[in-house]
Amino acid sequence: MKKIKLNMILQWMVFFPIILPLCMIFGAVQGAIQMAERVLIQFWSDVAPTVK
């Protein structure tokens, strides 16, 4: 039978409430930046004059 690591459980209980919101914020910011890049690329492809 494996021994339960109480120290690791305590660390997860302390740091999880800090890590989870940071990950959610980072993910939201990263998603917003990627969407802005896609919008700008689409904008420039629609607005830029076509060269023939």
Side-chain angles (χ1 to χ4, degrees), residues 6-47:
L6 295 176
N7 188 27
M8 290 302 291
I9 292 173
L10 179 63
Q11 287 180 3
W12 272 105
M13 289 177 65
V14 169
F15 291 112
F16 188 72
I18 299 168
I19 293 171
L20 183 62
L22 288 175
C23 291
M24 292 173 67
I25 291 169
F26 180 75
V29 169
Q30 186 177 11
I33 290 171
Q34 289 176 351
M35 184 56 69
E37 289 175 357
R38 290 175 63 189
V39 167
L40 287 174
I41 290 169
Q42 185 64 43
F43 172 77
W44 285 116
S45 68
D46 290 343
V47 173

